[in-house]
Amino acid sequence: MALIQRIAAQAAKTFRISKGSAAFQQQLSTLKELTRTLTADALNFDLDLVRDQRKFNPDIGEAPFAYIGIFEDKVFSMGVFVLRSTAALPIHDHPDMHGIVKVIHGSVSVKSYTKVLEPTPTNDSSHRRRLLRVKAHDVKRLTPSDGVCCLDPVNANFHEVSTEDTPGAFFDILAPPYDHGRCRNGPRICRYYCEIDAAEQGAEDARYLMEIQQPSWLWGSHAEYQGHRIESTWDDSTDSD
C-alpha cells in the first residue's frame, strides 16, 4: 500500500474517534510517525514548482503560494503548500482543529502561538476586532529531515509559516477541514492576525494578537496532484466526534 494511502487511512481512523480518549492519543502518535516518514518522492512531487528562486514580490500580483489538494472529506483534509522564496502564510488560526505539518522540500519556518486568555476588546474604538493574549513558542525551522510540527485546538493553534531565500513545500493534514466552501459563516473559518506591541496594552511580559482582514496580497494558485490517488476504504458513514 502506498505511504500516502496509509497516512490517509490512519488519519480517518484517528479523527473518527473521541478526541479525549487514550485511544485517540495512541492513534495520533501512529499518524505522526507515519507522516514523519513522508517524502517528496512518495508524493511524486513536481520539482518544477520550486525551481523559480525569485523572491516573492506582492507588488506585481503574483501568488505567494500554490496549493496541491490531495484529499478532503468532512473529517480531514490533506494537501501540499508550496511557498515562494521569502513568502509567508501570515498568522492565522485553526478553530477547533488538529494539524500536522511535514516539510517535503527546502526549509520552512513555523512561528506558533497558544492563547492564554479569552478575547478582550481593543482599547482603540476604531478597531472592532478581537485582541488575544498569547504565549509565543520558539520558531521552528523545519527541513525534510526533521519530524512533524503539530497543533491542536488548544496548543499552538495560531501560527505563521514562512520561507527565507529558497522556496519550501510542506504536507499538511487538518482535522476537521476549514468550513470554506461548505458554510461561509461556519465555526471553522480561517482568521488572520498581527502581533502588536504588548507595551501599548500595559503588559510588558505578554504577547498580543489582533484580528485583521485577510491581506490583499494573500492568495494562492493551484497545482495538480500527481501522486497516488487516495481510495476512501474507510466507512464514510461514521461521524467524527
Side-chain angles (χ1 to χ4, degrees):
M1 181 186 296
L3 175 58
I4 189 61
Q5 178 69 46
R6 292 167 58 201
I7 291 172
Q10 183 61 40
K13 184 176 183 180
T14 300
F15 295 116
R16 289 170 183 268
I17 61 180
S18 174
K19 306 304 184 293
S21 66
F24 171 75
Q25 293 301 327
Q26 292 173 352
Q27 296 299 336
L28 182 61
S29 293
T30 300
L31 177 59
K32 291 177 182 178
E33 180 58 26
L34 276 175
T35 306
R36 183 190 65 80
T37 66
L38 188 65
T39 64
D41 285 345
L43 292 172
N44 197 25
F45 178 69
D46 183 1
L47 291 176
D48 284 341
L49 294 171
V50 289
R51 295 198 193 282
D52 188 347
Q53 302 288 310
R54 291 177 302 158
K55 294 182 178 180
F56 168 59
N57 183 356
D59 295 330
I60 63 176
E62 61 188 3
F65 71 91
Y67 181 70
I68 305 169
I70 297 177
F71 178 84
E72 180 172 339
D73 63 11
K74 63 182 179 180
V75 176
F76 71 99
S77 64
M78 301 192 307
V80 172
F81 283 88
V82 185
L83 280 176
R84 294 181 62 92
S85 171
T86 67
L89 302 179
I91 303 170
H92 57 282
D93 60 358
H94 306 80
D96 299 319
M97 299 157 73
H98 286 77
I100 299 176
V101 168
K102 174 64 169 68
V103 173
I104 60 169
H105 181 87
S107 66
V108 169
S109 294
V110 181
K111 184 177 183 180
S112 299
Y113 302 83
T114 294
K115 185 173 69 174
V116 295
L117 286 178
E118 289 300 311
T120 56
T122 67
N123 294 327
D124 185 349
S125 60
S126 67
H127 294 286
R128 299 299 184 184
R129 306 191 187 284
R130 295 191 303 165
L131 183 68
L132 307 178
R133 186 177 181 182
V134 295
K135 172 186 176 182
H137 301 283
D138 291 339
V139 176
K140 295 182 179 180
R141 184 175 180 273
L142 304 173
T143 69
S145 63
D146 293 310
V148 298
C149 181
C150 303
L151 62 89
D152 63 37
V154 174
N155 300 297
N157 194 263
F158 303 78
H159 70 204
E160 176 185 71
V161 185
S162 61
T163 56
E164 295 182 358
D165 293 334
T166 58
F170 64 91
F171 171 77
D172 179 80
I173 300 175
L174 289 176
Y178 284 114
D179 285 328
H180 300 296
R182 290 194 178 98
C183 179
R184 294 177 64 89
N185 297 312
R188 295 189 306 280
I189 300 299
C190 183
R191 295 177 173 86
Y192 296 90
Y193 300 83
C194 66
E195 187 171 347
I196 64 174
D197 187 352
E200 294 180 0
Q201 304 300 318
E204 300 285 350
D205 61 343
R207 301 282 188 93
Y208 286 88
L209 301 180
M210 186 174 71
E211 185 181 346
I212 61 174
Q213 294 287 346
Q214 178 175 327
S216 59
W217 51 263
L218 182 63
W219 66 282
S221 60
H222 290 271
E224 183 180 357
Y225 174 55
Q226 299 181 3
H228 176 84
R229 185 170 180 269
I230 303 302
E231 300 291 340
S232 302
T233 56
W234 46 88
D235 181 5
D236 287 333
S237 66
T238 304
D239 292 327
S240 61
D241 292 337

